[in-house]
Amino acid sequence: MVDAQGFAHAVAVTTAEVTDRKGAVQAMNRCKANLGKVQSVLADSGYVGQPFAQAVKETLGEEVTVQIAKRSELHKFAVIPKRWVVGRSFSWLDKNRRLWKNCERTLDISLQFIHLAFLALLLRRS
């Protein structure tokens, strides 16, 4: 999970059989203490559905709203507001040589390198 500026607030590294929806809920559960001020969650169309929205509300609180950014028409390019924020964060991570390819043996090591990459990004931006 990233904020509107693309900085990470919750990160979960999972195995390949875990879906993105379950991984997002795992990330929220893992970093629940740091997400107390979240008022709205913006997700793309891969997260559509009541089960995901209910899991977000159970994890972060009933007052949190879940918004889905959907495409207006298929096969036509159109800029969708705020949808690019997570993609930008992924491209920042890809600039780190250790993260462009999964070469770690355990998930914990991958998670720590992601944290280090975001920390380096924060230090460069400050």
Side-chain angles (χ1 to χ4, degrees):
M1 292 182 64
V2 298
D3 61 10
Q5 297 179 12
F7 296 118
H9 288 273
V11 178
V13 177
T14 61
T15 56
E17 73 261 2
V18 177
T19 64
D20 288 347
R21 289 181 189 185
K22 288 182 182 178
V25 173
Q26 285 179 6
M28 286 183 237
N29 283 326
R30 187 170 185 270
C31 301
K32 189 176 183 177
N34 297 333
L35 301 174
K37 294 182 181 183
V38 172
Q39 298 173 353
S40 180
V41 173
L42 177 66
D44 66 7
S45 58
Y47 297 88
V48 72
Q50 191 58 32
F52 177 73
Q54 188 60 35
V56 170
K57 288 180 185 271
E58 288 172 2
T59 304
L60 301 179
E62 290 295 323
E63 65 279 354
V64 175
T65 60
V66 177
Q67 302 172 14
I68 304 297
K70 294 183 182 179
R71 294 184 193 184
S72 58
E73 293 181 33
L74 293 176
H75 307 297
K76 290 190 176 180
F77 178 77
V79 177
I80 299 173
K82 297 184 183 178
R83 190 169 177 197
W84 54 269
V85 174
V86 173
R88 181 180 64 182
S89 299
F90 284 144
S91 83
W92 286 341
L93 289 177
D94 283 343
K95 288 183 179 180
N96 292 282
R97 187 171 190 198
R98 195 79 186 241
L99 294 175
W100 72 273
K101 185 176 180 184
N102 188 10
C103 57
E104 307 304 332
R105 291 186 182 261
T106 64
L107 296 177
D108 289 338
I109 294 173
S110 294
L111 179 67
Q112 296 308 320
F113 275 110
I114 290 171
H115 285 299
L116 285 172
F118 274 116
L119 179 62
L121 178 67
L122 283 171
L123 289 172
R124 274 183 276 160
R125 301 273 186 230
S126 63

